[in-house]
Amino acid sequence: MVNENYCHDVSAVLVTYNPDTEALRAAIQAVSDQVSDIFIVDNASSNFSPSWFDKLEDQANAKLHLLQQEENLGIGAAHNIGIRRAIEQSSKFVLLLDQDSQVGVDMVIRLRSACAALNEKGIQVAAIGPQYRDAENGVLSRFVKVGMFRFIHCGCENNTSIVDADFLVSSGSLLPIAVLETVGLMDESLFIDHVDTEWCFRAKSKGLQIFGLCGAVMTHALGEQRREVWFLRKRTVPFHKPFRYYYMFRNSVLLYRRRYMPLNWKIADIARCLKMAVFFSWTAENRLTCLKMMSLGVIDGLRGINGKRNGL
């Protein structure tokens, strides 16, 4: 029996790197009822065995395709590998996912239907994405617009609201294949971090729009570790491994040099990076290492260095 929330023209591209296999199993099973194919692009994980995949394949409703890479190519390249396969499969849409995300029971059909409704109104949709439910505290995310000096978080009026956004986190985003042919694929040179931001603004520079859909929900894990800290007030903050701060800061600087990235985003992101540098240099357990990675990222960004950095 076909699930009523099944989208026959949507393929999922799910990127993995040393995943928690049980969490990944749950993530794959959740989306397998809603799409026709799942392309699992594994970036040379040390704990991902073909035998584990074979058992999972017997349990999934969608057709699974394992695309194992010999080295870690980064998130942009992995997405592109899966997208190209989805195009070969004649899919009309691609749903981007990562290993820490679990879709809601009707998330894909909601996104697909909302995209169709917008297109019928003559609105060119580059991507539409769901709200995220924090896996740790259950809080629902808001969508982001860019002000002059800060990022503005936009809430939902109701469970069917469609919110005009400036960019989306890649995981959970639904992209029409026709749009990818116009905008292009992901920028592999960024390796990780800001890959989604760059693509969204590239799409907007071509006259397309980005939307968030209220009521379409996906559970998502934020950061490798969550800690409660006091910084002007008590707050719960996601902490990443130090090497991630290198890519965050380097790629920010690289994007500042691109003309299609809006000036207001550049100003707001510079303010964000300064806040991050102050915050993590005070609160992170390995704050000196984090500060070193941020500084190295800025230097390499100014030098125009991209791709994967050896030694990280």
Side-chain angles (χ1 to χ4, degrees):
M1 180 177 179
V2 177
N3 189 305
E4 63 180 2
N5 296 322
Y6 164 75
C7 295
H8 67 89
D9 57 358
V10 178
S11 288
V13 174
L14 194 158
V15 178
T16 60
Y17 179 68
N18 293 330
D20 176 325
T21 53
E22 286 308 309
L24 178 60
R25 184 194 306 275
I28 292 171
Q29 289 178 337
V31 75
S32 72
D33 285 341
Q34 301 183 49
V35 299
S36 61
D37 294 81
I38 304 173
F39 296 95
I40 303 169
V41 186
D42 182 65
N43 265 328
S45 296
S46 60
N47 65 336
F48 202 131
S49 67
S51 60
W52 180 89
F53 173 80
D54 291 341
K55 293 178 182 178
L56 181 64
E57 195 172 21
D58 294 335
Q59 303 169 8
N61 291 327
K63 187 175 181 180
L64 303 189
H65 311 261
L66 178 59
L67 309 173
Q68 284 189 296
Q69 308 305 305
E70 295 182 357
E71 61 179 309
N72 184 0
L73 301 176
I75 191 71
H79 276 152
N80 289 344
I81 290 168
I83 289 169
R84 290 188 183 101
R85 287 292 301 273
I87 292 171
E88 292 173 4
Q89 203 75 13
S90 299
S91 299
K92 300 299 183 184
F93 295 83
V94 62
L95 178 75
L96 302 181
L97 293 172
D98 66 31
Q99 63 195 33
D100 298 319
S101 302
Q102 185 169 329
V103 307
V105 292
D106 58 353
M107 190 197 85
V108 181
I109 190 66
R110 281 176 176 261
L111 294 175
R112 174 71 177 81
S113 298
C115 187
L118 289 165
N119 286 335
E120 287 176 4
K121 295 178 181 179
I123 299 171
Q124 293 184 297
V125 180
I128 186 167
Q131 290 182 279
Y132 296 94
R133 188 180 304 281
D134 190 316
E136 185 168 309
N137 58 27
V139 174
L140 279 175
S141 67
R142 293 177 290 175
F143 300 107
V144 180
K145 293 284 288 183
V146 184
M148 180 51 70
F149 299 105
R150 64 190 180 93
F151 296 103
I152 301 168
H153 294 85
C154 306
C156 294
E157 294 182 3
N158 54 59
N159 280 344
T160 59
S161 298
I162 298 176
V163 179
D164 182 25
D166 278 331
F167 58 89
L168 300 168
V169 175
S170 60
S171 187
S173 297
L174 184 74
L175 283 62
I177 294 296
V179 164
L180 286 160
E181 293 170 352
T182 300
V183 178
L185 299 181
M186 305 300 147
D187 186 343
E188 300 181 11
S189 72
L190 297 176
F191 189 71
I192 188 173
D193 289 305
H194 278 324
V195 174
D196 39 19
T197 306
E198 184 278 333
W199 189 89
C200 286
F201 280 116
R202 185 168 14 118
K204 288 174 72 72
S205 74
K206 296 179 182 293
L208 286 81
Q209 293 180 255
I210 305 292
F211 295 98
L213 180 61
C214 303
V217 178
M218 182 173 70
T219 302
H220 186 64
L222 300 172
E224 287 92 7
Q225 181 185 16
R226 302 293 299 280
R227 290 218 321 269
E228 193 174 81
V229 298
W230 177 267
F231 189 78
L232 304 179
R233 63 178 174 84
K234 187 163 71 171
R235 61 185 81 200
T236 301
V237 178
F239 285 77
H240 297 276
K241 294 176 181 176
F243 81 91
R244 286 290 301 277
Y245 299 112
Y246 166 81
Y247 289 107
M248 290 178 191
F249 278 68
R250 186 201 69 179
N251 291 350
S252 282
V253 175
L254 289 174
L255 293 185
Y256 299 157
R257 303 166 70 172
R258 302 191 183 185
R259 292 183 179 179
Y260 57 84
M261 298 300 291
L263 177 61
N264 62 338
W265 176 83
K266 295 175 184 178
I267 294 172
D269 193 70
I270 288 170
R272 180 188 69 89
C273 287
L274 290 172
K275 291 176 184 176
M276 284 180 61
V278 172
F279 179 82
F280 289 107
S281 64
W282 277 66
T283 61
E285 292 178 355
N286 44 7
R287 51 185 175 271
L288 291 180
T289 304
C290 291
L291 196 57
K292 177 183 176 182
M293 289 294 101
M294 294 174 190
S295 301
L296 185 59
V298 171
I299 292 169
D300 281 359
L302 292 172
R303 294 170 61 195
I305 295 173
N306 58 32
K308 182 179 181 181
R309 196 181 201 282
N310 293 332
L312 294 186

